[in-house]
Amino acid sequence: MALLLLAIGLVLSLEGLVLALAPSRIDEILELIRRMPVETRRNLGLAALALGLALIWLATGLRG
């Protein structure tokens, strides 16, 4: 449970940092994502999912 809360906290912190540092860029980034083919978005999402799971697995392995 603590690991899940840590993960959610990290995601919210990073998202908040992006919004705080570059709020005007959000519209440009969203437009870029809208113009991407659906398959590209799906592949990026799957890659992000795989990387996230690998990092969680690594973190739990390093913890002990």
Side-chain angles (χ1 to χ4, degrees), residues 21-53:
L21 294 179
S24 61
R25 299 271 303 167
I26 297 299
D27 290 332
E28 295 170 23
I29 293 169
L30 289 174
E31 182 59 34
L32 177 68
I33 292 170
R34 263 187 230 109
R35 285 185 279 154
M36 277 185 197
V38 173
E39 194 61 33
T40 301
R41 285 183 272 173
R42 181 176 291 118
N43 288 336
L44 285 172
L46 288 171
L49 174 63
L51 179 60
L53 289 174

Side-chain angles (χ1 to χ4, degrees), residues 11-27 29-30:
V11 168
L12 290 174
S13 297
L14 288 174
E15 291 289 335
L17 185 63
V18 170
L19 288 171
L21 294 179
S24 61
R25 299 271 303 167
I26 297 299
D27 290 332
I29 293 169
L30 289 174

